[in-house]
mmCIF file of all heavy atoms in Angstrom:
data_model
loop_
_atom_site.group_PDB
_atom_site.id
_atom_site.type_symbol
_atom_site.label_atom_id
_atom_site.label_comp_id
_atom_site.label_asym_id
_atom_site.label_seq_id
_atom_site.Cartn_x
_atom_site.Cartn_y
_atom_site.Cartn_z
ATOM 1 N N GLY E 23 -11.557 19.951 -9.399
ATOM 2 C CA GLY E 23 -12.355 21.168 -9.325
ATOM 3 C C GLY E 23 -11.762 22.209 -8.391
ATOM 4 O O GLY E 23 -11.758 23.413 -8.700
ATOM 5 N N LEU E 24 -11.236 21.768 -7.245
ATOM 6 C CA LEU E 24 -10.604 22.709 -6.315
ATOM 7 C C LEU E 24 -9.364 23.344 -6.944
ATOM 8 O O LEU E 24 -9.134 24.556 -6.814
ATOM 9 C CB LEU E 24 -10.220 21.991 -5.024
ATOM 10 C CG LEU E 24 -11.367 21.500 -4.139
ATOM 11 C CD1 LEU E 24 -10.821 20.708 -2.966
ATOM 12 C CD2 LEU E 24 -12.231 22.653 -3.661
ATOM 13 N N ALA E 25 -8.566 22.538 -7.632
ATOM 14 C CA ALA E 25 -7.376 23.099 -8.278
ATOM 15 C C ALA E 25 -7.758 24.106 -9.366
ATOM 16 O O ALA E 25 -7.059 25.115 -9.564
ATOM 17 C CB ALA E 25 -6.538 21.968 -8.868
ATOM 18 N N ALA E 26 -8.874 23.857 -10.058
ATOM 19 C CA ALA E 26 -9.329 24.805 -11.073
ATOM 20 C C ALA E 26 -9.699 26.132 -10.438
ATOM 21 O O ALA E 26 -9.444 27.214 -11.005
ATOM 22 C CB ALA E 26 -10.512 24.214 -11.840
ATOM 23 N N LEU E 27 -10.311 26.085 -9.263
ATOM 24 C CA LEU E 27 -10.654 27.324 -8.554
ATOM 25 C C LEU E 27 -9.403 28.085 -8.152
ATOM 26 O O LEU E 27 -9.365 29.315 -8.224
ATOM 27 C CB LEU E 27 -11.472 26.996 -7.306
ATOM 28 C CG LEU E 27 -12.918 26.551 -7.521
ATOM 29 C CD1 LEU E 27 -13.518 26.123 -6.196
ATOM 30 C CD2 LEU E 27 -13.752 27.643 -8.150
ATOM 31 N N VAL E 28 -8.375 27.371 -7.732
ATOM 32 C CA VAL E 28 -7.118 28.028 -7.373
ATOM 33 C C VAL E 28 -6.507 28.712 -8.597
ATOM 34 O O VAL E 28 -6.077 29.859 -8.551
ATOM 35 C CB VAL E 28 -6.131 27.010 -6.753
ATOM 36 C CG1 VAL E 28 -4.748 27.645 -6.576
ATOM 37 C CG2 VAL E 28 -6.648 26.515 -5.402
ATOM 38 N N ARG E 29 -6.488 27.985 -9.705
ATOM 39 C CA ARG E 29 -5.918 28.570 -10.926
ATOM 40 C C ARG E 29 -6.684 29.811 -11.378
ATOM 41 O O ARG E 29 -6.112 30.764 -11.905
ATOM 42 C CB ARG E 29 -5.900 27.529 -12.056
ATOM 43 C CG ARG E 29 -4.781 26.509 -11.936
ATOM 44 C CD ARG E 29 -4.632 25.692 -13.205
ATOM 45 N NE ARG E 29 -5.807 24.873 -13.492
ATOM 46 C CZ ARG E 29 -6.033 23.678 -12.991
ATOM 47 N NH1 ARG E 29 -5.142 23.131 -12.152
ATOM 48 N NH2 ARG E 29 -7.119 22.995 -13.291
ATOM 49 N N ALA E 30 -7.997 29.784 -11.163
ATOM 50 C CA ALA E 30 -8.827 30.906 -11.581
ATOM 51 C C ALA E 30 -8.782 32.074 -10.590
ATOM 52 O O ALA E 30 -9.365 33.129 -10.845
ATOM 53 C CB ALA E 30 -10.281 30.446 -11.753
ATOM 54 N N GLY E 31 -8.105 31.886 -9.462
ATOM 55 C CA GLY E 31 -8.020 32.938 -8.467
ATOM 56 C C GLY E 31 -9.271 33.113 -7.642
ATOM 57 O O GLY E 31 -9.434 34.123 -6.945
ATOM 58 N N GLU E 32 -10.162 32.124 -7.652
ATOM 59 C CA GLU E 32 -11.423 32.223 -6.903
ATOM 60 C C GLU E 32 -11.274 31.734 -5.474
ATOM 61 O O GLU E 32 -12.162 31.965 -4.642
ATOM 62 C CB GLU E 32 -12.509 31.430 -7.624
ATOM 63 C CG GLU E 32 -12.840 31.975 -9.005
ATOM 64 C CD GLU E 32 -13.989 31.231 -9.644
ATOM 65 O OE1 GLU E 32 -14.992 30.994 -8.940
ATOM 66 O OE2 GLU E 32 -13.880 30.895 -10.833
ATOM 67 N N VAL E 33 -10.195 31.050 -5.177
ATOM 68 C CA VAL E 33 -9.923 30.588 -3.820
ATOM 69 C C VAL E 33 -8.408 30.454 -3.697
ATOM 70 O O VAL E 33 -7.698 30.245 -4.692
ATOM 71 C CB VAL E 33 -10.640 29.233 -3.553
ATOM 72 C CG1 VAL E 33 -10.058 28.115 -4.400
ATOM 73 C CG2 VAL E 33 -10.588 28.866 -2.082
ATOM 74 N N THR E 34 -7.893 30.593 -2.499
ATOM 75 C CA THR E 34 -6.467 30.457 -2.286
ATOM 76 C C THR E 34 -6.154 29.113 -1.648
ATOM 77 O O THR E 34 -7.006 28.502 -0.984
ATOM 78 C CB THR E 34 -5.938 31.575 -1.367
ATOM 79 O OG1 THR E 34 -6.474 31.370 -0.035
ATOM 80 C CG2 THR E 34 -6.326 32.948 -1.901
ATOM 81 N N PRO E 35 -4.926 28.620 -1.791
ATOM 82 C CA PRO E 35 -4.543 27.398 -1.086
ATOM 83 C C PRO E 35 -4.722 27.493 0.418
ATOM 84 O O PRO E 35 -5.118 26.500 1.071
ATOM 85 C CB PRO E 35 -3.071 27.232 -1.461
ATOM 86 C CG PRO E 35 -2.955 27.859 -2.812
ATOM 87 C CD PRO E 35 -3.878 29.052 -2.742
ATOM 88 N N ASP E 36 -4.489 28.659 1.005
ATOM 89 C CA ASP E 36 -4.714 28.812 2.454
ATOM 90 C C ASP E 36 -6.180 28.643 2.813
ATOM 91 O O ASP E 36 -6.511 28.047 3.857
ATOM 92 C CB ASP E 36 -4.221 30.190 2.925
ATOM 93 C CG ASP E 36 -2.717 30.208 3.175
ATOM 94 O OD1 ASP E 36 -2.235 29.346 3.930
ATOM 95 O OD2 ASP E 36 -2.032 31.074 2.584
ATOM 96 N N GLU E 37 -7.067 29.138 1.968
ATOM 97 C CA GLU E 37 -8.495 28.966 2.230
ATOM 98 C C GLU E 37 -8.896 27.488 2.133
ATOM 99 O O GLU E 37 -9.726 27.001 2.918
ATOM 100 C CB GLU E 37 -9.312 29.809 1.266
ATOM 101 C CG GLU E 37 -9.250 31.317 1.549
ATOM 102 C CD GLU E 37 -9.989 32.133 0.516
ATOM 103 O OE1 GLU E 37 -9.725 31.937 -0.704
ATOM 104 O OE2 GLU E 37 -10.831 32.961 0.900
ATOM 105 N N LEU E 38 -8.317 26.769 1.178
ATOM 106 C CA LEU E 38 -8.597 25.329 1.079
ATOM 107 C C LEU E 38 -8.070 24.599 2.319
ATOM 108 O O LEU E 38 -8.748 23.707 2.852
ATOM 109 C CB LEU E 38 -7.978 24.745 -0.177
ATOM 110 C CG LEU E 38 -8.537 25.230 -1.525
ATOM 111 C CD1 LEU E 38 -7.900 24.441 -2.668
ATOM 112 C CD2 LEU E 38 -10.053 25.109 -1.570
ATOM 113 N N LEU E 39 -6.890 24.983 2.754
ATOM 114 C CA LEU E 39 -6.356 24.356 3.971
ATOM 115 C C LEU E 39 -7.225 24.673 5.173
ATOM 116 O O LEU E 39 -7.511 23.798 6.002
ATOM 117 C CB LEU E 39 -4.920 24.827 4.201
ATOM 118 C CG LEU E 39 -4.198 24.255 5.414
ATOM 119 C CD1 LEU E 39 -4.281 22.740 5.455
ATOM 120 C CD2 LEU E 39 -2.752 24.718 5.449
#
Side-chain angles (χ1 to χ4, degrees):
L24 292 175
L27 287 174
V28 171
R29 282 192 296 275
E32 297 184 44
V33 67
T34 68
D36 278 307
E37 288 176 308
L38 294 186
L39 181 51

